[in-house]
């Protein structure tokens, strides 16, 4: 199941409608861990500096797009000596399996974005009655 969740990694992001980005900031592909339980597929997406109100998650057909807009945080009266993080935004796109219950997806954030994608219940076999004409 989890191996059926495909990722699309790109460094240069354009808008889905083919337009250009309006923000002049770099866009990073955030690292993600994918776990599978008996009932769910869980995504953990690392987007440092992104507050809860800066997260945008959309699901269109089978495409799950995660975007994070980070706020520049430069403390006053400090001079940066050694930077390891660059200011920018985040975007990651996943193609979901047909076996995901789209209506049951839940998202939360506590330092790391956590998406729980419940597996759809398997279709039960049913008998189809023949109608007399």
């Amino acid at each position: 199941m989890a191996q059926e969740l495909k990722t699309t990694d790109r460094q240069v992001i354009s808008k889905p409608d083919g337009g250009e980005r309006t923000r002049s900031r770099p866009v990073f592909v955030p690292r993600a861990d994918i776990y599978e339980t008996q009932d769910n597929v869980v995504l953990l997406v690392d987007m440092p500096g992104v507050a809860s109100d800066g997260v945008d998650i959309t699901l269109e057909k089978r495409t799950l797009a995660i975007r994070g807009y980070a706020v520049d945080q430069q403390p006053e009266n400090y001079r940066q000596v050694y930077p390891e993080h660059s200011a920018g935004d985040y975007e990651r796109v996943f193609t979901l399996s047909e076996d995901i219950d789209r209506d049951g997806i839940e998202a939360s954030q506590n330092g790391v974005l956590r998406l729980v994608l419940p597996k759809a219940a398997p279709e039960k076999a049913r008998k189809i009655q023949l109608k007399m004409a």
Side-chain angles (χ1 to χ4, degrees), residues 9 28-34 43-48 90-92 94 112-113:
D9 293 344
F28 302 107
V29 177
R31 295 188 179 266
D33 291 331
I34 302 172
L43 269 71
L44 301 175
V45 183
D46 189 23
M47 297 188 294
Y90 300 90
E91 185 169 327
R92 187 83 185 250
F94 297 91
V112 173
L113 178 64

Side-chain angles (χ1 to χ4, degrees), residues 30 38 66 81 101 103 112-113 118 120:
Q38 184 174 347
I66 301 168
V81 177
D101 176 11
D103 296 326
V112 173
L113 178 64

Side-chain angles (χ1 to χ4, degrees), residues 31 108-109:
R31 295 188 179 266
S108 61
Q109 185 179 15

Side-chain angles (χ1 to χ4, degrees), residues 109-129:
Q109 185 179 15
N110 187 11
V112 173
L113 178 64
R114 176 184 171 92
L115 288 155
V116 178
L117 311 168
K119 295 177 185 177
E123 293 281 333
K124 294 181 181 178
R126 64 183 182 112
K127 182 129 176 108
I128 300 173
Q129 297 294 324

